[in-house]
Amino acid sequence: GVETNTGITSKKNNNEILTLQKSHAPLIDAHMRRINYLRISITDRCNLKCLYCVPGQPVSRIPHASILTYEEILKLARIGTRLGITKIRVTGGEPLVRKDCIDFISRLTRINGLKDISLTTNGLLLSQYLKPLGDAGISRLNISLDTLDRKKYMAITGSDAFDRVWAGIMEAIDMGFSPVKINVVVMRGVNDDELGGLADLSRTYPVHVRFIELMPFGNARTGLAAPMLQDEIMDKILQSGDLAPIARNELDGPAKKFGFKGAPGEIGIISPVSHHFCKTCNRLRLTADGRIRMCLLSEESMDIRTPLRAGDGDEELAEIILSAVSQKPFIRRLDAENRMGRTMSAIGG
């Protein structure tokens, strides 16, 4: 077994899962969940300072030498794909601030076996990168936008860039990116008065608007207001009209999906606090500094950068990934009183 931060080993489970892989079964964890989704953070740097992501004091950045190179990330992505990963999302920080990210993405999209490769971005640099992203093979975008009000956008993000982000979203739609998802972190007393208007974007545009419960990470600067949870969020949205549920597909994330009648888009609710989705969790995270996180809500992680740089081969690195899968917890509850130690900017979306 491979040791985690907490010293936990699970050689038996790891061996059992390795046997499954050698028989060409999908990547299965100890709780019989199929793990097919890898979120890759390529940087912890960002060109915004959002309330819920960045703490009030200066952020401690990962040293440059500790950040995985693109070659290292691609090597791990290829190994993961051979083990059963079919979906990868590139995140940050803000991924578009890292130099040569387009070349990296174009190489990532050429890995055999991947069915879905997408990008999460804050949208600041989106307009200038849309054509290169499309040429690189990206068609699916997640764009963070928590308000439709320019002044409020500046208060949330620290940047007067709403118009630039909105223009990027409109260009992405015009250029045929699909789906274009808009991620809205719901904050009581900040943007909760806009939920109906944000949901109504799905009536006008073919966008997927995702409302996300605020998770209590680190010492983010959102104040002490109790988070708005799924039922209250839905009540606000339903003031704009009745919603019908939309069936899930294989590549969907944890959002519960709905649509207004006749709308070209859809809305979704992601509720990690009130309605955790541990039983159906299908993902691992690779942090920018080369750690595999088995669960967003757990501090446990596994170091894969050190053995990678020490020259371990594909089989040894695959063993580490398999051990991480075997140690993925079944349930990790989060509530408004249980704050996670690391900030979201240090974990990677």
Side-chain angles (χ1 to χ4, degrees):
V2 180
E3 193 168 345
T4 66
N5 283 344
T6 57
I8 300 171
T9 60
S10 182
K11 190 172 183 67
K12 180 181 177 184
N13 283 343
N14 187 49
N15 288 341
E16 290 173 352
I17 292 173
L18 184 58
T19 300
L20 280 173
Q21 301 314 307
K22 288 180 176 176
S23 66
H24 306 290
L27 195 58
I28 305 292
D29 74 0
H31 309 287
M32 301 311 294
R33 295 172 297 194
R34 180 180 177 183
I35 310 303
N36 64 351
Y37 182 10
L38 178 64
R39 296 178 71 104
I40 298 175
S41 171
I42 64 172
T43 181
D44 67 331
R45 271 64 170 177
C46 187
N47 46 4
L48 291 181
K49 296 180 179 179
C50 296
L51 293 173
Y52 48 80
C53 188
V54 178
Q57 70 269 25
V59 178
S60 177
R61 296 301 188 191
I62 300 171
H64 180 74
S66 298
I67 300 285
L68 290 180
T69 68
Y70 287 142
E71 288 293 344
E72 290 170 334
I73 297 171
L74 290 165
K75 182 180 181 71
L76 296 176
R78 291 186 191 101
I79 294 170
T81 302
R82 290 201 296 271
L83 291 174
I85 296 296
T86 60
K87 176 179 178 178
I88 287 179
R89 176 174 297 281
V90 178
T91 73
E94 169 51 44
L96 295 180
V97 302
R98 181 165 175 181
K99 185 179 178 182
D100 298 326
C101 66
I102 298 297
D103 178 65
F104 160 72
I105 290 170
S106 68
R107 297 170 68 191
L108 184 67
T109 59
R110 293 198 295 269
I111 294 177
N112 289 333
L114 288 177
K115 298 179 181 178
D116 182 8
I117 304 173
S118 54
L119 177 83
T120 292
T121 174
N122 60 31
L124 250 66
L125 303 175
L126 192 56
S127 288
Q128 70 193 70
Y129 278 110
L130 278 172
K131 187 179 187 306
L133 283 169
D135 292 343
I138 293 289
S139 61
R140 302 167 64 88
L141 295 170
N142 276 46
I143 305 162
S144 298
L145 185 70
D146 303 313
T147 177
L148 297 175
D149 180 273
R150 180 180 172 184
K151 290 184 179 179
K152 197 180 293 185
Y153 182 92
M154 185 171 181
I156 293 171
T157 67
S159 178
D160 184 15
F162 172 81
D163 293 341
R164 197 190 327 174
V165 174
W166 182 254
I169 293 171
M170 293 297 102
E171 289 172 36
I173 294 169
D174 290 343
M175 291 175 65
F177 284 83
S178 180
V180 172
K181 296 183 180 180
I182 296 176
N183 290 345
V184 180
V185 175
V186 179
M187 293 166 280
R188 187 184 302 278
V190 178
N191 63 352
D192 55 324
D193 58 335
E194 293 188 75
L195 302 191
L198 285 158
D200 282 343
L201 293 177
S202 68
R203 297 181 190 267
T204 307
Y205 307 103
V207 293
H208 297 191
V209 185
R210 295 289 189 256
F211 295 96
I212 306 169
E213 290 179 345
L214 176 66
M215 291 184 284
F217 274 90
N219 52 350
R221 299 168 291 128
T222 50
L224 300 177
M228 285 187 66
L229 303 181
Q230 175 181 291
D231 293 345
E232 193 175 356
I233 293 170
M234 282 295 292
D235 286 344
K236 291 264 189 179
I237 296 170
L238 286 170
Q239 293 174 17
S240 290
D242 293 335
L243 291 168
I246 295 175
R248 296 170 54 82
N249 63 54
E250 178 191 2
L251 295 174
D252 276 340
K256 299 177 180 70
K257 303 194 301 181
F258 306 89
F260 294 114
K261 184 176 180 180
E266 63 181 51
I267 71 164
I269 310 290
I270 300 177
S271 49
V273 179
S274 64
H275 298 76
H276 68 83
F277 35 84
C278 300
K279 292 180 181 179
T280 58
C281 183
N282 63 344
R283 67 191 63 183
L284 295 174
R285 284 175 167 80
L286 177 64
T287 66
D289 57 348
R291 302 197 70 88
I292 299 175
R293 288 184 71 102
M294 294 78 86
C295 172
L296 175 63
L297 306 180
S298 172
E299 296 297 331
E300 292 180 14
S301 63
M302 302 184 69
D303 174 17
I304 201 167
R305 184 190 70 209
T306 299
L308 174 62
R309 292 185 175 177
D312 282 14
D314 287 8
E315 287 297 320
E316 290 83 5
L317 297 171
E319 285 268 8
I320 296 172
I321 296 172
L322 292 167
S323 187
V325 169
S326 75
Q327 296 177 55
K328 187 172 168 62
F330 185 48
I331 290 181
R332 174 77 184 206
R333 295 184 185 277
L334 177 67
D335 58 51
E337 304 303 319
N338 178 18
R339 300 188 73 83
M340 299 303 300
R342 298 187 82 185
T343 62
M344 183 61 84
S345 59
I347 295 170

